[in-house]
């Protein structure tokens, strides 16, 4: 009894220590924002911003510099405009609100925070169109915001005092017009406002009906009138200030020269003569002697109306860059020195709905430039992901080298947007995230830092004969055609063949071997080769049904391997292909590089393949006779992803065509009706509430035979004195099969066959699917990975104590002693809580690795107190739980995601160090951490330029630690500005200090007025 | 045989015997020194009870512990006399014999006087059925407040589905809470008669359901499906004033003893509030199918089954070169106490242990 008490007391202490090691943080978002809707670029600070339809704004600078914020409510961001050089940004929302956001410095780390909201002032009872902003323009000095409304008026907002001080109403504009331009009709909504690039005294206002007015703000009079005749889409005032280019909705554009008032060029319809779509945005620069025209849209409506293009014309070069998704916006990064008249577009950055594409306009042929962030994770839909931490440097370098070879066609220019300073610590280990995609490709991402960077892309489609091989690539047919299309971007949602999809990935980081399992029963064993080769690929077919004649596979066919030598580029090259029959999708995969064994499982059974001798060792059918669904194959009932993607794209296209139009009153009524209908809907749903049938699980549920996990372990399967290799398999019906393997000694590995003997079968009484299996050694730490001990990266396991088997099913955790399978600990989660386990993983919590060695060095040094193994799992409620091992006590519980977020839960992957990734949208990974020691945080700062250098008013900046300003930014004037803002934000005690500073520098007196207006 | 004879013998050397057949009894005595054989006893009994020769009867005696033990041969007759002679000395405490016809004691098949097994056509079975199994029971009735009912549904041994649906909110003014919305006609829930549409589920296996979503409650019930203990607040119960007692009777108002409660419910609520299915269930509930109180066997509810395959002769199988069909024996006997306590099932050449 005393011993028992002592033991439990010790365990409690250990649990307490473990509890402290848990800490939940959502840290970084990787990937591309879902449904982007606005883009902005600040030439001064070299940063860009992307706004989305669900109300998030992210500012990107140099790699690793990111500021993200989002509105609490779901609002769509229509436009974004930087106040140049100030680190502030103005957002126009779809609810007619204009908000000001600001990058604030908080203890050396900057954050994007909301500052203020504006609405257009109006009389009570005015039409909603009066207050609906349609066009925004920030003055070059960044002190004024011109807001054009749907009713046709232009308001001037003083940003420093947040006061509207000037209005150009439509009536005023009409009255000042010369008689011949008055057409008796309203001018329409304000479509574009541009400030004179030479002097900020006049603005150019473009109305929907085509008229452009050059308005002198000081004299409040009309300077000039440019009578366009078509419906205006966008206006660009060339930086030299001499020419104005405007684009129209009929696909034409027109250049007005302001110097020679008589010259009027006719609108040119570039892709005519047949009707064309609108040019939504145009930019025209005058470079040394030539013009540089960049515009989006304008395609012939009938023939290429569905293309999403940005056309670039310069001298004789003319390319229509063809994107796979809708163009949201674009900007050009100027390479010109400030002060010169000419403008030299250096890089064209195009934001399309699914990716960000940059094109190097300086290099000949305009190659594309790979952005260091915003990688399009979902270029083909992600089907699985796999994380490997602490990659040995040699393998890492080889993978990186292969990736560099792939990018040869891309521009090598430096990424031009590099504002801000990254302060995150240098990476301590090399972590790899592998994503498998629907088109059969696997992407390797550098997941060690805050930016998820693409390293290498591996495609398996070339190994197989697919339908897409028959028609020749489209590029050739497009050659010599008009318009001169060129495909850019990597987003390609249309998979050639759904069978190519990658379902499971297993990478042995020590041997470099990679096993991939696909949707049509194909298992590829790949090895890294630094040179491109051409060799034949052998297929080995393994029938999992074991001559069971009663079953008939009604699903898809197997993929056919290309016959003859297959040319293989440098990188991962397939060594052999094991084909599981029937060709159902693979559901489990395990690679044991030390024993040269490969195990795979489908919904029918599992197989064991000897990669060394290249022959089958074992097949086992796990089917239950009543399991009908497993036999039909996935195509019959499960909706194909391809189909659903196509449908959603059609839906999107439909909504886009309606969204393009300005909402007229009838659509408003319709919208209101629709909203009412939506409100009615839940009421109807409540009338027939959701019912759940309560039924105990019976053995004839569908897919009971599906193999959920496979595991290799060197443990005591047969008796307590002899350990040996074993293979464990867990199925959907809660059965665990254990086989003992007899592997010949290395000398006889070539000749003697491997024997697999059926050792044990464990039927879990609750029959829930087995999610994970692991063998813990005598010290309750999991067995090391294959080859880990051989490479001296882990302690060899304790083979003297009693091993125990951890079984994680969807409902319970259980620990059994080996070799007698008697239960030692268990935790019934579902029976007590109702939540089911979706993902489970063993993680090592504790002090981060010292960094001199690979990531697991903490374990190598034998610092047992520092590193604790525990079980982390994600439930269907979206909670992350942490359990101690082997006592299986709940140590920590964090709410991680919404329980409705099914894709997020199913895509979650845990890393060894206690971090995790899950998809928050088809294109974005959210990174979280449950370990207090291992947190990948975004630490970066943005230093707004000297405000005085840009305009006379200092920009208020917030700095809580005035006295601790670092020496490098301790510029006197700046410091003063900070002090003032700080005082205003905190208390009046510092007012004296302000007075002193003000007395010291009289020019800033303007500030007081500004601040008092707050 | 009559009372007048009795003083003629000395009680010390005689055993007082009372033999009973049905309602009639005879009293006689046996010599303690020479009680005679079983055959002699039977002859005496036939004569005393005026039995015809053809009737087959069984003979039992009341052992000191109070149980009935058979007398079929000399051996157990002698034992019966030995055990009872010490206690049957006092007057008025006779050695009690019982003569039983076959249908009185069907369970003692081997108690025919000559020890022969009876043959011939099986007689119709009267009494508890062989395939008796509990479906559901009311537990903790004395602990719980009167408004709650704790029902245990037994699923082991039956192929009957649990057979009920739950819903969030009852649609009768209660918006939160989990309620039983439907019963499958042949399901365990409907057959037990203890659950009805509209009952609010309060606990599942001791875990309160408040604050949990419908899916969570469903998962909890399914996970405990083999031994489901549900605490419900019956739609009808709050009006029952008398405290419950743990009994064989279901705690629903029945026709016999709960008539007043039934009446009070139907008067205080408009009848049309209750759906028809509810009434049908209530009527069923008045004649409970099978209910039984059983002691809860805790924690033995999900023990996993391990099949152990151990190679009998490794060396020989290696020499044969064929390893896929090894001879298999069980090593299940080496399992420790509580793991071997389960069933052992033999199928083919493998042995399955239900532990």
């Amino acid at each position: 009894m005393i011993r028992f008490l002592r033991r439990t007391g010790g365990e409690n202490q250990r649990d307490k220590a473990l509890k402290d090691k848990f800490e939940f943080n959502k840290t970084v978002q990787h990937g591309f924002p879902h449904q982007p809707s606005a883009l902005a670029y600040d030439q001064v600070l070299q940063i860009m911003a992307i706004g989305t339809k669900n109300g998030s704004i992210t500012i990107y600078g140099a790699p690793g510099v990111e500021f993200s914020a989002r509105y609490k409510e779901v609002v769509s961001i229509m436009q974004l405009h930087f106040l140049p050089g100030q680190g502030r940004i103005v957002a126009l929302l779809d609810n007619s609100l204009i908000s000001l956001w600001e990058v604030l410095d908080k203890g050396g780390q900057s954050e994007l925070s909301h500052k203020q909201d504006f609405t257009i002032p109006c009389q009570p009872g005015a039409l909603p169109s009066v207050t609906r902003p349609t066009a925004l323009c920030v003055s070059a000095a960044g002190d004024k915001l011109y807001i054009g409304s749907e009713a046709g008026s232009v308001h001037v907002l003083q940003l420093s005092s947040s006061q509207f001080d000037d209005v150009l109403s439509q009536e005023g504009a009409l009255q000042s017009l010369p008689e011949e331009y008055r057409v008796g009709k309203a001018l329409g909504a304000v479509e574009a406002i541009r400030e004179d690039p030479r002097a900020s005294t006049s603005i150019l206002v473009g109305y929907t009906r085509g008229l452009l007015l050059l308005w002198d703000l000081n004299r409040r009079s009309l300077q000039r009138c440019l009578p366009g005749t078509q419906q205006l889409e966008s206006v660009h005032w060339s930086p030299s200030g001499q020419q104005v280019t405007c684009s129209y909705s009929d696909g034409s554009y027109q250049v007005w020269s302001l110097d020679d008032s008589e010259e009027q060029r006719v609108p040119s319809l570039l892709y005519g003569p047949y009707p064309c779509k609108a040019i939504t945005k145009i930019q025209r620069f005058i470079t040394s002697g030539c013009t540089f025209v960049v515009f989006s849209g304008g395609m012939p409506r009938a023939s290429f109306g569905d293309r999403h293009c940005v056309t670039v014309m310069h001298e004789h070069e003319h390319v229509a860059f063809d994107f796979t998704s809708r163009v949201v916006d674009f900007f050009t990064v100027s390479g010109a020195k400030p002060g010169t008249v000419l403008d030299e577009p250096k890089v064209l950055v195009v934001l399309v709905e699914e990716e960000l594409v940059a094109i190097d306009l300086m290099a000949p042929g305009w190659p594309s430039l790979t952005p260091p962030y915003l990688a399009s994770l979902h270029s083909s839909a992600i089907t699985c992901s796999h994380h490997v931490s602490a990659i040995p440097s040699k393998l890492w370098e080889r993978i990186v080298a292969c990736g560099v070879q792939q990018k040869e066609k891309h521009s090598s220019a430096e990424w031009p947007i590099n504002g801000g300073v990254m302060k995150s610590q240098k990476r301590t280990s090399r972590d790899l995230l592998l994503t498998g995609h629907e088109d059969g490709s696997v992407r390797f991402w550098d997941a060690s830092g805050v930016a998820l960077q693409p390293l290498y892309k591996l495609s398996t489609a070339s190994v197989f004969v697919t339908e897409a091989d028959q028609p020749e690539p489209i590029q050739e047919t497009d050659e010599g055609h008009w318009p001169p299309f060129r495909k850019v971007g990597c987003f390609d949602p249309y998979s050639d063949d759904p069978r190519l999809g990658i379902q499971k990935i297993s990478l042995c980081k020590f041997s470099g071997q990679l096993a991939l399992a696909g949707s049509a029963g194909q298992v590829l064993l790949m090895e890294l080769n630094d040179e491109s080769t051409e060799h034949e690929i052998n297929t080995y077919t393994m029938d999992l049904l074991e001559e069971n004649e009663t079953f008939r596979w009604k699903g898809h066919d197997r993929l056919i391997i290309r016959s003859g030598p297959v040319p293989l580029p440098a990188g991962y090259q397939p060594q052999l292909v094991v084909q599981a029959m029937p060709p159902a999708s693979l559901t489990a995969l395990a690679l044991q590089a030390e024993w040269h064994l490969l195990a795979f499982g489908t919904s029918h059974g599992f197989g064991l393949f000897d990669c060394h001798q290249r022959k089958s060792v074992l097949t086992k059918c796990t089917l239950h006779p009543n399991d009908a669904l497993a036999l039909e194959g996935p195509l019959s009932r499960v909706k194909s992803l391809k189909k659903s993607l196509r449908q959603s794209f059609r839906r999107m296209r439909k909504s886009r065509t309606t969204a393009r139009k300005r909402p007229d009153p009838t659509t408003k009524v319709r919208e209101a009706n629709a909203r009412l209908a939506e409100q009615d809907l839940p009421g109807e749903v409540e009338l027939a509430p959701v019912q759940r049938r309560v039924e105990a699980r019976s053995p004839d549920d569908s897919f009971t035979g599906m193999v959920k996990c496979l595991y290799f372990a060197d443990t005591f399967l047969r008796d307590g004195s002899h350990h040996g290799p074993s293979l464990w398999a867990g199925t959907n019906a809660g059965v665990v099969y254990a086989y003992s393997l007899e592997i010949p000694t290395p000398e006889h590995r070539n000749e003697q066959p491997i024997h697999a003997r059926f050792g044990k079968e464990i039927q879990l009484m609750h029959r829930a699917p087995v999610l994970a299996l692991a063998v813990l050694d005598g010290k309750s730490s999991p067995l090391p990975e294959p080859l880990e001990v051989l490479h001296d990266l882990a302690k060899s396991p304790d083979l003297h104590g009693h091993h125990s088997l951890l079984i994680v099913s969807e409902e319970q955790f259980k620990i059994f002693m080996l070799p007698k399978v008697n239960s030692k600990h268990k935790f019934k989660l579902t029976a007590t809580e109702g939540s089911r386990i979706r993902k489970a993983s063993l993680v090592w919590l504790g002090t981060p690795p010292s960094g001199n060695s690979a990531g697991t060095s903490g374990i190598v040094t034998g610092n047992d107190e520092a590193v604790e193994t525990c079980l982390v799992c994600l439930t269907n409620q979206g909670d992350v739980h942490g359990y101690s091992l082997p006592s299986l006590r709940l140590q920590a519980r964090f709410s991680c995601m919404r329980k409705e977020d099914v894709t997020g839960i199913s895509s979650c992957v845990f890393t060894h160090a206690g971090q995790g990734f899950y998809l928050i949208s088809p294109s974005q990974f959210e990174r979280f951490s449950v370990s207090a020691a291992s947190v990948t945080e975004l630490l970066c700062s943005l230093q707004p330029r000297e405000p005085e250098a840009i305009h006379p008013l200092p920009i208020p900046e917030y700095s809580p630690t005035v006295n601790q300003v670092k020496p490098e930014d301790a510029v006197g004037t700046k410091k003063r500005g900070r002090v003032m803002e700080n005082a205003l934000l905190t208390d009046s005690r510092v007012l004296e200090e302000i007075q002193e500073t003000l007395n010291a520098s009289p020019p800033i007196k303007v500030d007081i007025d500004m601040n008092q207006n707050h | 045989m009559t009372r007048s004879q009795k003083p003629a013998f000395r009680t010390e050397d005689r055993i007082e015997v009372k033999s009973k057949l049905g309602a009639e009894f005879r009293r006689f005595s046996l010599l303690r020194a020479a009680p005679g054989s079983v055959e002699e006893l039977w002859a005496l009994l036939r004569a005393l009870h005026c039995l015809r020769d053809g009737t087959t009867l069984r003979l039992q005696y009341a052992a000191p512990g109070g149980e009935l033990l058979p007398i079929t041969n000399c051996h157990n007759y002698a034992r019966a006399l030995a055990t009872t002679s010490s206690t049957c000395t006092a007057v008025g405490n006779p050695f009690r014999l019982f003569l039983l016809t076959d249908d009185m004691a069907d369970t003692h098949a081997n108690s025919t006087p000559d020890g022969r097994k009876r043959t011939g056509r099986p007689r119709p079975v009267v009494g508890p059925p062989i395939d008796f199994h509990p479906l559901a029971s009311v537990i903790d009735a004395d602990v719980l407040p009167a408004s709650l009912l704790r029902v245990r549904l037994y699923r082991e041994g039956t192929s009957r589905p649990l057979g009920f649906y739950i819903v969030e909110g009852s649609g009768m003014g209660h918006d939160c809470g989990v309620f039983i919305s439907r019963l499958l006609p042949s399901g365990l829930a409907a057959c037990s008669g203890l659950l009805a549409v509209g009952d609010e589920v309060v606990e599942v296996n001791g875990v309160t359901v408040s604050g949990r979503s419908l899916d969570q409650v469903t998962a909890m019930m399914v996970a405990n499906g083999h031994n489901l203990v549900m605490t419900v607040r019956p739609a009808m119960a709050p009006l029952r004033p008398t405290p419950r007692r743990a009994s064989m009777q279901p705690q629903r108002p029945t026709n016999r003893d709960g008539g007043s409660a039934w009446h009070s419910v139907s008067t205080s609520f408009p009848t049309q509030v209750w759906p028809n299915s509810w009434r049908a269930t209530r009527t069923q509930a008045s004649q409970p199918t099978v209910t039984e109180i059983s002691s809860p066997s805790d924690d033995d509810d999900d023990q996993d089954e391990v099949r152990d395959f151990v190679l009998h002769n490794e060396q020989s199988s290696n020499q044969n070169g064929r390893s896929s069909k090894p001879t298999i024996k069980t090593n299940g006997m080496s399992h420790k106490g509580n793991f071997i306590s389960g069933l052992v099932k033999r199928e083919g050449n493998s042995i399955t242990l239900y532990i």
Side-chain angles (χ1 to χ4, degrees), chain A residues 191-395:
Chain A
E191 196 67 45
I193 305 171
R194 293 288 176 269
E195 199 191 36
D196 193 335
R198 293 166 298 187
S200 60
T201 53
S202 54
I203 53 168
L204 186 71
V205 183
Y207 296 96
T208 305
R209 289 197 191 282
L211 190 72
L212 290 134
L213 299 179
L214 189 59
W215 187 261
D216 192 320
L217 285 168
N218 287 350
R219 282 181 285 169
R220 300 180 58 80
S221 65
L222 183 71
Q223 263 187 344
R224 198 157 161 202
C225 180
L226 308 174
T229 49
Q230 292 291 329
Q231 192 176 324
L232 190 71
E233 284 286 333
S234 88
V235 176
H236 181 249
W237 202 332
S238 67
S240 55
Q242 287 156 355
Q243 285 177 331
V244 170
T245 315
C246 43
S247 69
Y248 298 117
S249 65
D250 65 342
S252 62
Y253 70 93
Q254 193 172 13
V255 182
W256 307 84
S257 180
L258 295 180
D259 291 346
D260 180 17
S261 58
E262 298 309 309
E263 193 201 355
Q264 255 192 43
R265 293 198 203 164
V266 268
S268 62
L269 188 61
L270 186 66
Y271 294 124
Y274 298 110
C276 292
K277 297 188 84 173
I279 294 180
T280 51
K281 183 172 180 178
I282 190 160
Q283 289 194 345
R284 185 168 175 273
F285 306 99
I286 300 162
T287 57
S288 44
C290 281
T291 56
F292 217 121
V293 181
V294 184
F295 64 85
S296 65
M299 285 293 125
R301 188 175 287 276
S303 42
F304 300 109
D306 56 342
R307 300 282 182 110
H308 313 286
C309 289
V310 171
T311 304
V312 182
M313 293 189 292
H314 178 62
E315 291 182 45
H316 303 296
E317 284 180 277
H318 181 168
V319 176
F321 291 103
D322 186 6
F323 298 95
T324 47
S325 54
R326 189 174 72 88
V327 177
V328 175
D329 203 350
F330 68 86
F331 65 83
T332 51
V333 178
S334 171
K337 299 273 180 299
T340 53
V341 182
L342 296 177
D343 198 73
E344 202 75 41
K346 194 165 73 172
V347 175
L348 169 69
V349 179
V350 186
L351 176 71
V352 291
E353 267 189 339
E354 304 292 349
E355 59 188 327
L356 185 82
V357 181
I359 287 152
D360 186 0
L361 296 177
M362 303 294 272
W366 295 338
S368 53
L369 179 63
T370 318
Y373 36 69
L374 286 165
S376 183
L377 287 171
H378 60 318
S379 54
S380 171
I382 295 178
T383 46
C384 66
S385 37
H386 179 71
H387 186 273
V388 189
S389 44
I391 303 280
S393 59
K394 198 174 176 195
L395 178 66

Side-chain angles (χ1 to χ4, degrees), chain A residues 405-406 456 459 462 529-533 566-573:
Chain A
Q405 279 187 31
Q406 285 186 329
Y456 168 65
S459 176
S462 60
N529 191 342
D530 298 327
E531 279 162 24
S532 59
T533 55
V566 181
L568 298 162
Y572 269 104
Q573 297 176 347

Side-chain angles (χ1 to χ4, degrees), chain B residues 259-293:
Chain B
S260 60
W262 175 269
H263 185 251
S264 69
V265 170
S266 52
T267 48
S268 57
F269 288 101
T271 327
Q272 54 266 33
V273 168
W274 312 108
N276 284 336
S277 60
W278 185 87
R279 286 185 141 193
T281 323
R282 285 303 132 122
T283 331
Q284 217 173 31
S286 63
Q287 291 128 19
T289 323
V290 181
T291 58
E292 191 188 75
I293 306 292

Side-chain angles (χ1 to χ4, degrees), chain B residues 11-327:
Chain B
T11 52
E12 287 81 37
D13 48 0
R14 289 193 176 262
I15 304 168
E16 189 184 354
V17 182
K18 180 180 175 186
S19 144
K20 195 171 178 184
L21 171 63
E24 67 181 288
F25 61 89
R26 304 280 185 275
R27 286 175 180 274
F28 58 96
S29 64
L30 295 170
L31 272 176
R32 195 178 287 271
S37 66
V38 186
E39 286 76 22
E40 288 169 13
L41 179 68
W42 267 110
L44 182 63
L45 287 171
R46 277 174 205 283
L48 285 175
H49 285 280
C50 309
L51 296 175
R52 275 173 289 145
D53 276 354
T55 48
T56 54
L57 290 174
R58 295 156 193 207
L59 182 61
Q60 289 181 335
Y61 74 99
E67 60 213 315
L68 289 179
L69 296 176
I71 296 175
T72 50
N73 49 28
C74 294
H75 180 70
N76 50 22
Y77 178 49
R79 178 150 186 83
L81 289 170
T83 52
T84 52
S85 59
S86 56
T87 59
C88 295
T89 49
V91 178
N93 192 7
F95 175 45
R96 285 186 289 183
L97 291 175
F98 297 91
L99 284 163
L100 299 166
T101 54
D102 273 352
D103 44 357
M104 278 173 172
D106 195 59
T107 46
H108 305 284
N110 54 349
S111 58
T112 45
D114 45 5
R116 278 186 289 120
K117 290 267 186 238
R118 290 183 301 110
T119 52
R121 64 175 180 86
R123 286 153 193 273
V125 174
V126 179
I130 307 278
D131 58 345
F132 174 91
H133 60 262
L135 286 181
S137 60
V138 177
I139 55 175
D140 297 343
D142 44 349
V143 181
L144 287 174
S147 60
L148 294 180
L149 183 66
R150 188 165 288 166
V151 178
R152 175 185 212 128
L153 296 177
Y154 298 87
R155 227 188 81 80
E156 65 259 52
T158 64
S159 56
R160 215 187 279 274
L162 288 170
F164 63 97
Y165 289 74
I166 56 171
V167 73
E168 212 154 22
S170 66
M172 291 185 226
H174 308 281
D175 286 335
C176 52
V178 176
F179 294 85
I180 294 175
S181 64
R182 227 178 105 194
L183 296 178
L184 283 184
S186 60
L188 197 57
C191 291
S192 75
L194 297 176
L195 298 170
V197 174
D199 289 359
E200 182 182 355
V201 180
V202 180
E203 281 180 355
V204 175
N205 286 56
V207 180
T208 175
V209 303
S210 71
R212 298 190 197 278
S213 71
L214 189 64
D215 288 330
Q216 274 178 292
V217 177
T218 314
M220 283 162 69
M221 288 183 175
V222 170
N224 293 305
H226 47 269
N227 182 22
L228 183 61
V229 178
M230 281 183 1
T231 310
V232 296
R233 183 173 288 123
M236 293 291 297
L239 296 166
R240 186 182 167 86
T242 50
R244 239 172 264 279
R245 63 206 152 79
S247 76
M248 295 285 285
Q249 295 300 328
Q251 297 308 304
R252 296 279 174 185
T254 62
N255 283 345
R256 196 176 64 237
D257 65 351
S260 60
W262 175 269
H263 185 251
S264 69
V265 170
S266 52
T267 48
S268 57
F269 288 101
T271 327
Q272 54 266 33
V273 168
W274 312 108
N276 284 336
S277 60
W278 185 87
R279 286 185 141 193
T281 323
R282 285 303 132 122
T283 331
Q284 217 173 31
S286 63
Q287 291 128 19
T289 323
V290 181
T291 58
E292 191 188 75
I293 306 292
S294 86
S295 60
S297 60
D298 205 41
D299 212 38
D300 289 340
D301 48 354
D302 68 333
Q303 284 191 341
D304 307 317
E305 171 190 325
V306 179
R307 290 185 197 186
D308 232 334
F309 297 89
V310 172
L311 295 171
H312 184 52
N313 192 342
E314 269 173 51
Q315 292 309 313
S316 67
S317 65
N318 264 348
Q319 285 157 8
N320 291 343
R322 296 273 306 155
S323 61
S324 55
K325 298 278 179 206
T327 49

Side-chain angles (χ1 to χ4, degrees), chain A residues 780-897:
Chain A
S780 303
S781 52
L783 296 186
E785 282 175 51
L787 290 172
E788 208 171 23
V789 178
L790 223 63
H791 285 70
D792 281 338
L793 287 169
K795 272 191 298 189
S796 54
D798 182 6
L799 287 171
H800 302 293
H802 296 288
H803 280 200
S804 51
L805 171 72
L806 168 69
I807 298 181
V808 180
S809 78
E810 273 194 9
E811 298 188 352
Q812 300 183 359
F813 310 109
K814 289 199 159 187
I815 289 185
F816 294 96
M817 297 304 293
L818 287 178
K820 294 163 193 170
V821 188
N822 35 17
S823 169
K824 193 172 153 207
H825 295 285
K826 71 176 163 187
F827 185 83
K828 298 197 234 172
L829 181 71
T830 309
T832 55
E833 240 180 63
S835 42
R836 299 172 71 89
I837 300 147
R838 285 282 173 258
K839 301 275 167 184
S841 178
L842 293 171
V843 302
W844 282 257
L845 296 182
T847 50
S850 45
N852 48 8
S853 158
T856 46
S857 59
I859 302 166
V860 177
T861 49
N863 199 352
D864 277 346
E865 293 76 35
V867 180
E868 285 267 11
T869 317
C870 66
L871 178 68
V872 170
C873 67
L874 176 75
T875 68
N876 67 340
Q877 306 293 315
D879 293 349
V880 175
H881 295 189
Y883 295 89
S884 60
L885 281 180
S887 55
L888 293 179
R889 271 196 215 108
L890 180 63
Q891 299 299 320
R893 172 206 294 261
F894 311 104
S895 177
C896 182
M897 47 191 116

